Amino acid sequence: MFRGVGRRLALFNALVVIVIIALTGVVTYLLLLHQLSAEVDHALKASAEQTVNDVRATQPSATTTSTNSSDDEHKHEHDDDEILDSGDTIVFAVDAGGQIIYNPRGISVHGIPNAASLQRALDGEDDIRSLNLSGIGAVRVASLPIEQNHQVVGAVQVLRSLHERDAELATVRWMTLLGVALGVAIAVPAGLLLARRAMRPIDAAFARQRAFVADASHELRTPLTLIRANAEIARQEPAEPVDSIDPELASIIDEVDRTDRLIDDLLTLARSDAGRLELLPVLLDLVLLAQEVYDAMLPLARQLGVDLRFEATPSCMALVDTDRMRQVMRILVDNAVKYSPSGSDVLLSVTCDDARVRIEVRDTGSGIPPEHLPHLFERFYRVDQARSRAAGGTGLGLSIARALVEAQGGTITLTSVVNQGTTVTISLPKPAKIAR
Ligand code: ADP
């Protein structure tokens, strides 16, 4: 039921993780691109300005450095790639006519210096641009005019390879891709695993709820079937005096009462599930309440041949809802009396110390086999279905008792040994003011 939801949630989470990684990568990439480009431009400009000064200072001697020397041309022709790759800057200067007058490294490569950029400098403008030179790759080119007496007498061009910058950017690109790939490889399965884990208790709770509804429907249908059957019998003999159909009418009344109890119990549990159990806590002497329950249950115990006794310390105060506590005690005493054979003893006792009140219902009845013990507080769980029903049980008593005790801050435990008996213990906190 929730598996599809879990899977969608996991995939959505994974997608968010992947988008975050990708966005981080793209932002890092753009920041780095901006930073590295600014660094290159800054270095190029500084170098160009320096060259302008150098050329001015060395003229006219610098102008004698010729690129037309066949020796130089030969010398550098084969390692131009290397020079450009190294991240170094290459500088040129040209005179006003565009003739190279300064080429300290004697570089001779087709396409550099870049004529268009130089022309702008010769026109008096600073120029900076990126170029893609065949066989060399991306380069950044800056050209500055050389001015003397407000006249452009030449231009300087500085070039720098962008290989280094591009290599760093490529690393970031790869890292981003790797991050996204890792995101896919890790976030998706991890998300699915976590979603499956997270969904497990929800699945279980939903399954419990479904079972509860199914059990409740079944439990409600049983008395209705009996009521209907009895009503049918009564209807078949309309002329008969009411006396003659008294057993059927009595059975109908029994089943209606039973249905009423069941609906009450279901309502209590539904309210408890919804956290809407209305409790009216009052400061109450639980000894007096237990005495009242004992008195009320004595006739049933006598009728079933069970020796019901009551023991208590003089007074045990606690902050509880009177009706709900009475209901809990009745459930426990009723169970002890119902499920103990004639001749058994049942002891209801109330004791307390400084911090807690302890209510115990101990019987010497049939006991409960150990394999059933973990399930006793489950809704509609009965050790012996037929016996419980015959005894008027709905299978909800202990689960209601637990819900009510826990809602009042207490705990309830059950221990049982087959053929020796069962003990149910409730422990309730005393309110701080009266704890002494
Ligand atoms: P029910 O309405 O059937 O009594 P409960 O939730 O009160 O439902 O109890 C669950 C089951 O636990 C009962 O059906 C019964 O089999 C068993 N049980 C409860 N209390 C006792 C007891 N004191 N002695 C033996 N069995 C008991």
Side-chain angles (χ1 to χ4, degrees):
M1 162 85 188
F2 291 106
R3 209 151 289 161
V5 180
R7 203 171 304 137
R8 275 202 298 280
L9 204 68
L11 291 179
F12 182 72
N13 273 345
L15 195 72
V16 170
V17 170
I18 291 163
V19 167
I20 289 173
I21 295 174
L23 271 181
T24 312
V26 169
V27 170
T28 311
Y29 180 85
L30 291 177
L31 285 176
L32 200 67
L33 174 67
H34 181 263
Q35 165 87 7
L36 292 178
S37 301
E39 272 174 25
V40 169
D41 286 1
H42 185 75
L44 269 183
K45 273 192 181 153
S47 180
E49 277 159 12
Q50 179 64 42
T51 308
V52 169
N53 291 337
D54 286 356
V55 171
R56 275 212 202 106
T58 54
Q59 263 185 342
S61 62
T63 57
T64 60
T65 308
S66 165
T67 55
N68 293 334
S69 144
S70 63
D71 262 9
D72 276 357
E73 199 171 316
H74 186 73
K75 198 172 118 215
H76 289 293
E77 191 89 313
H78 63 281
D79 57 3
D80 293 329
D81 275 8
E82 192 192 316
I83 289 163
L84 286 171
D85 270 346
S86 70
D88 284 348
T89 49
I90 304 166
V91 294
F92 295 98
V94 295
D95 60 17
Q99 282 300 308
I100 293 177
I101 55 168
Y102 186 67
N103 180 2
R105 293 171 68 172
I107 307 279
S108 169
V109 175
H110 177 71
I112 57 174
N114 178 262
S117 178
L118 271 180
Q119 191 52 55
R120 273 192 57 135
L122 288 173
D123 292 343
E125 302 265 345
D126 289 1
D127 182 74
I128 189 149
R129 62 180 72 193
S130 297
L131 294 173
N132 213 333
L133 298 175
S134 68
I136 292 171
V139 287
R140 192 81 171 150
V141 179
S143 302
L144 295 185
I146 308 171
E147 291 176 348
Q148 259 169 9
N149 303 326
H150 304 294
Q151 279 238 315
V152 177
V153 296
V156 159
Q157 184 165 98
V158 184
L159 295 100
R160 187 172 181 156
S161 165
L162 291 176
H163 283 189
E164 224 173 291
R165 184 200 73 172
D166 290 349
E168 280 186 50
L169 291 173
T171 308
V172 175
R173 269 200 309 272
W174 277 112
M175 278 169 66
T176 305
L177 277 180
L178 190 73
V180 169
L182 277 178
V184 173
I186 296 171
V188 173
L192 283 174
L193 193 80
L194 287 179
R196 202 165 304 154
R197 278 206 181 166
M199 286 296 154
R200 220 173 280 160
I202 298 174
D203 262 342
F206 197 73
R208 271 202 305 276
Q209 201 60 27
R210 248 189 323 215
F212 178 54
V213 171
D215 287 344
S217 313
H218 177 75
E219 291 294 330
L220 283 169
R221 186 170 292 150
T222 311
L224 288 180
T225 310
L226 289 172
I227 290 169
R228 189 187 166 84
N230 282 309
E232 288 285 343
I233 293 170
R235 202 170 152 220
Q236 275 162 16
E237 307 290 348
E240 291 289 312
V242 169
D243 280 7
S244 69
I245 54 166
D246 190 57
E248 285 79 23
L249 291 179
S251 171
I252 287 174
I253 291 168
D254 274 359
E255 292 304 327
V256 168
D257 286 349
R258 187 184 160 75
T259 311
D260 200 39
R261 276 204 308 276
L262 184 58
I263 290 171
D264 252 5
D265 287 354
L266 289 174
L267 210 61
T268 305
L269 284 172
R271 286 201 178 123
S272 154
D273 284 349
R276 285 172 45 205
L277 257 183
E278 277 169 21
L279 296 171
L280 290 173
V282 290
L283 200 55
L284 184 78
D285 186 352
L286 287 173
V287 173
L288 293 182
L289 189 69
Q291 173 83 53
E292 185 195 311
V293 171
Y294 166 76
D295 291 340
M297 299 299 289
L298 208 49
L300 176 71
R302 287 208 180 116
Q303 188 190 328
L304 295 173
V306 171
D307 182 15
L308 176 63
R309 289 182 298 116
F310 175 60
E311 270 178 15
T313 50
S315 152
C316 286
M317 304 301 286
L319 200 58
V320 289
D321 180 301
T322 314
D323 287 342
R324 297 309 198 178
M325 250 352 268
R326 185 186 294 115
Q327 188 180 359
V328 171
M329 288 190 206
R330 284 189 81 123
I331 289 170
L332 301 187
V333 176
D334 188 57
N335 276 354
V337 171
K338 265 187 330 198
Y339 300 117
S340 297
S342 170
S344 310
D345 296 330
V346 172
L347 175 66
L348 167 64
S349 66
V350 183
T351 52
C352 50
D353 58 25
D354 285 351
R356 302 190 81 81
V357 179
R358 197 178 147 101
I359 303 162
E360 201 175 84
V361 180
R362 180 190 295 266
D363 68 59
T364 57
S366 51
I368 301 163
E371 66 272 21
H372 295 288
L373 294 179
H375 306 289
L376 285 180
F377 289 94
E378 289 171 14
R379 294 163 187 193
F380 295 113
Y381 192 88
R382 288 132 153 173
V383 175
D384 180 340
Q385 190 84 12
R387 192 171 161 207
S388 161
R389 191 165 201 291
T394 60
L396 294 175
L398 287 177
S399 46
I400 286 180
R402 180 157 80 174
L404 294 180
V405 167
E406 288 180 354
Q408 301 184 75
T411 57
I412 180 165
T413 53
L414 184 149
T415 54
S416 188
V417 179
V418 176
N419 294 330
Q420 284 189 25
T422 302
T423 303
V424 185
T425 309
I426 293 169
S427 172
L428 287 163
K430 274 186 162 180
K433 264 185 281 174
I434 60 154
R436 59 194 150 81

